[in-house]
Amino acid sequence: MSPGGQPRFPDSIRKELEMTVGDIRYVLIPDEENFLHDIKLDGEAPILVLVYKTTAGQSITKCALREFRAKALDKDDVFQPAFCHNAVFYGAKKADLQIEPDALNELALWNVKTQIFAEGNPAATVAPGPYVFVEGQTWQPWRIYHDFNACFMTPFKPCSGAHHARYVSCSPTLLEARKTNHFCTLVVVDEAQSGTARRVVVPSRCYYKPSKSRPLDGVRISVKDNMDIAGHKTTLCNRAWIELYPAKTKNAVCVQRLVDAGAVIVGKVKLQAMIMREEPLECVEFIAPFNPRADGYQVPSGSSHASAAGIASYDWLDFSLGSDSLCPILLDYPTATDPF
């Protein structure tokens, strides 16, 4: 309580904004740059925006737009055509660009209603792709997926504005994380209960560009819950263990290496409790994941069962970390690969 008796809330508390476009649901993550704030956008909120990066002297052609559509937008599960209604060409003034007539025809085919050219802040790091503007804030729409095969123990999202949508879980200290502008702590999307009906959220793939220093930039990875994520408990899928031990203060080495390479940790997945052999009917605290192969009721096998089942179940998940304690990787391999 404050001296005046009014409740005080930590800065980390923010309301969660969720929206639906067509039949796809999104959680809105505040963008740290808030670059749309100074751009005049007309329309009823929330305003959907597609950002196309430009530089002075650039020629915008039909070929370039089609390449952007084919290589970025059409491969992105977050993007929808509705985001094209407001196209923001960000980086250079309109007078410094050459816009070919065939490019205007191409934009018309995309159903672009409004074209906005913004020079932008040279110091800002803005990625191309879909955005939302509402409540005076620029937001990144992160797509919500339903964990229908009950693989996830703890789904994550950034706790605050993401810088160029790049974030990792806590670096050695939050202070050091803030200094780099590429770090943000993770918060839980939905708290663990019985291990079902979870939302998992993922960012647009347009925000990322793999490089030599960050070869896994934007790759979506889940982590078996016997590996540490800073700021969160390692549960071993056991309630007594959760109550007994505190949250971890740093990432496991294997996790940190992936994060340093640009990977996006979307959540932690289940394991057989305490890394011991456990049949699905014995999973009384957190239900076992479903094996997506055959009729869905085959045993998912070893302790890394959710790592394997998640990869086999969800095409939006790229990789999952498992561990080989008592041969679980060999036991789980059929779950992820064999048709039966």
Side-chain angles (χ1 to χ4, degrees), residues 225-247:
D225 206 359
N226 65 339
M227 304 178 197
D228 295 346
I229 298 287
H232 297 274
K233 293 188 176 187
T234 298
T235 74
L236 297 187
C237 221
N238 179 272
R239 292 186 181 183
W241 193 271
I242 294 173
E243 293 178 3
L244 183 60
Y245 291 99

Side-chain angles (χ1 to χ4, degrees), residues 32-53:
E32 195 169 77
E33 299 289 357
N34 196 16
F35 61 95
L36 294 176
H37 183 267
D38 297 324
I39 299 175
K40 185 179 180 181
L41 295 169
D42 296 324
E44 184 178 348
I47 300 175
L48 306 184
V49 173
L50 176 65
V51 171
Y52 184 87
K53 292 297 295 295

Side-chain angles (χ1 to χ4, degrees), residues 155-223:
F156 293 134
K157 65 178 181 179
C159 69
S160 60
H163 185 79
H164 193 167
R166 293 175 177 174
Y167 74 95
V168 301
S169 54
C170 297
S171 206
T173 67
L174 184 57
L175 178 60
E176 286 299 313
R178 295 299 185 188
K179 287 180 181 178
T180 66
N181 283 332
H182 287 301
F183 295 85
C184 180
T185 55
L186 299 176
V187 295
V188 177
V189 176
D190 292 320
E191 293 290 344
Q193 295 178 3
S194 62
T196 59
R198 287 213 171 50
R199 298 173 302 160
V200 183
V201 298
V202 298
S204 169
R205 295 188 186 275
C206 297
Y207 300 153
Y208 302 91
K209 188 175 181 179
S211 63
K212 185 175 181 180
S213 61
R214 293 174 65 88
L216 299 181
D217 203 30
V219 170
R220 303 164 182 173
I221 295 180
S222 62
V223 177

